[in-house]
Amino acid sequence: MSTSSAYSGAFDRLVAGIVPYVPQPIVRRLAQPYVAGTTLDDAVRTVRELNAAGLQATVDVLGEAVRDAATASAAADSCIRALDVISAEALGATISVKPSAVGSELSWEIAGGQIERVVRRAEELGSFVCIDMEDSGSTDHTLALFRRLREAGHTQVGTVLQARLWRTAADAAALAPLRPTIRLCKGIYQESPAVAMHDRDAIRRSFSRILRLLLGAGAFVSVATHDEELIVDALDAIDKTGVAPDGYEFQTLLGVRPDLARVLARDHTVRLYVPFGPDSYAYSQRRLRENPQIAGYVARDVLRAFARSVRRPPTQPPYGGTQ
Ligand code: FAD
């Protein structure tokens, strides 16, 4: 491992360690650029703006770790409502669904049934559903669900592979004969070294290798990264494989490197991940953990809050007495 990647690895671990202790209101405020808002109307407004700028979207109804069947079913209903509105308004957008938002922590049978319901509606409307990938404990189930849906004849469904998992090259090879639609990303969940690579350069090499494997097998790949080195590598792989412009796309997250999305969209399809909903805390925490400037932002925000509290005259308790 190089000295610089050892330092940046230590810094990443430090930052990842700070975020859980940042108060919720500060997390929400700092994470505003990453989330379209709390309502479907907010998401629609954001997608319209993106479409006007030549960008596509994949809309995610925020929520995860749902542990009762009624909430799981309501979450799937929200996805279906989003699909209906996307279709009615002729927006350039698809849908992303997290298995844990539709009950996977309760039972994979329930989550699978709910996701199939969403996929059916997407097919009726000519849209598409991506099953997001969560932590490594869910990888087997998610891939099995994806395979089951494809084998049941559903074509408008894809899933995600995480380049940092040691297992992913083998997973990609096993899925390749399906010519799947795959979002390839590095992977955001914190995993043990036995499960996932922790060295940045190793993760990059894994990404590059899996991308070539998938493109070579005729899969539709969504290259989901803001890492310029990987984007340049992907452009090279796309060129060398001779894949047609409708055989791949780039994906980025709302609020992350908008400049990059705009530049790539001049010559390629670019789709932004647009999350919305009242339940944004877990998603926001993950985004802040990855923001290279997070330590500075948090420090500034905490100092500002401290300065405000020093300037403000002390408040009296509502019914007298001491506070
Ligand atoms: P990094 O090295 O993390 O980032 C490269 C550069 O991008 C940084 O130097 C910085 O300039 C910028 N950047 C990255 N993140 C931020 C940020 N939060 N704020 C400000 N700047 C930032 N992961 C999963 O595990 N499962 C999924 O289903 C999943 N879906 C995704 C969908 C999309 C469309 C995208 C783009 C990512 C998704 N991810 C998912 C997250 C992914 O795994 C990475 O954690 C995330 O993309 C950051 O990695 P990176 O490749 O951009 O490289």
Side-chain angles (χ1 to χ4, degrees):
M1 201 201 303
S2 69
T3 320
S4 75
S5 74
Y7 280 138
S8 64
F11 181 72
D12 288 348
R13 281 194 295 282
L14 179 70
V15 169
I18 290 170
V19 172
Y21 301 103
V22 178
Q24 279 209 25
I26 295 183
V27 167
R28 285 187 208 285
R29 187 161 59 244
L30 292 175
Q32 266 170 12
Y34 302 127
V35 178
T38 53
T39 66
L40 180 54
D41 280 350
D42 293 328
V44 167
R45 206 172 309 116
T46 301
V47 172
R48 255 200 224 110
E49 285 167 15
L50 294 173
N51 287 174
L55 300 161
Q56 300 295 299
T58 180
V59 172
D60 171 46
V61 185
L62 284 168
E64 45 201 275
V66 163
R67 289 199 182 85
D68 71 276
T71 313
S73 176
D77 290 344
S78 299
C79 295
I80 288 172
R81 230 176 352 265
L83 281 168
D84 288 343
V85 172
I86 286 168
S87 168
E89 306 233 355
L91 299 174
T94 56
I95 285 280
S96 289
V97 186
K98 284 196 179 16
S100 78
V102 289
S104 64
E105 293 192 4
L106 188 65
S107 115
W108 276 91
E109 216 181 323
I110 288 178
Q114 297 298 350
I115 289 177
E116 187 160 14
R117 203 155 68 78
V118 178
V119 171
R120 281 220 175 88
R121 187 65 186 145
E123 279 167 350
E124 285 162 10
L125 297 170
S127 191
F128 188 86
V129 178
C130 179
I131 310 173
D132 283 355
M133 189 62 80
E134 301 183 89
D135 62 79
S136 63
S138 68
T139 310
D140 275 337
H141 292 289
T142 306
L143 296 182
L145 170 61
F146 169 67
R147 188 179 279 281
R148 185 174 71 67
L149 290 170
R150 284 292 309 267
E151 285 168 0
H154 297 293
T155 52
Q156 298 305 95
V157 60
T159 192
V160 180
L161 289 176
Q162 298 158 319
R164 67 191 305 243
L165 300 193
W166 291 109
R167 60 176 285 170
T168 299
D171 287 335
L175 289 177
L178 295 175
R179 299 189 71 196
T181 295
I182 296 291
R183 176 195 298 154
L184 180 61
C185 64
K186 286 183 182 172
I188 173 65
Y189 296 88
Q190 287 172 329
E191 308 283 359
S192 77
V195 171
M197 298 160 211
H198 283 231
D199 180 74
R200 277 171 173 266
D201 294 334
I203 297 169
R204 280 188 174 135
R205 278 203 292 279
S206 169
F207 193 112
S208 172
R209 175 178 170 219
I210 295 162
L211 175 65
R212 282 170 172 73
L213 191 160
L214 290 169
L215 288 176
F220 180 100
V221 185
S222 302
V223 182
T225 180
H226 319 89
D227 185 331
E228 292 185 359
E229 199 172 316
L230 282 182
I231 288 170
V232 171
D233 180 67
L235 291 171
D236 178 60
I238 287 161
D239 217 29
K240 290 208 172 109
T241 327
V243 48
D246 61 358
Y248 70 92
E249 65 184 13
F250 286 94
Q251 290 194 357
T252 62
L253 299 169
L254 185 70
V256 180
R257 297 290 315 264
D259 54 329
L260 191 60
R262 275 196 303 272
V263 169
L264 284 170
R266 288 184 199 146
D267 300 311
H268 312 274
T269 302
V270 178
R271 188 176 302 280
L272 269 77
Y273 192 88
V274 176
F276 79 95
D279 189 4
S280 63
Y281 183 60
Y283 179 85
S284 299
Q285 270 202 328
R286 288 198 294 274
R287 293 290 73 82
L288 290 184
R289 237 178 33 219
E290 286 191 324
N291 185 330
Q293 274 96 41
I294 181 60
Y297 285 168
V298 171
R300 267 199 301 280
D301 215 272
V302 169
L303 282 177
R304 250 187 240 126
F306 176 70
R308 274 197 301 273
S309 75
V310 170
R311 274 199 304 270
R312 211 178 289 141
T315 51
Q316 292 299 316
Y319 300 108
T322 52
Q323 260 181 318

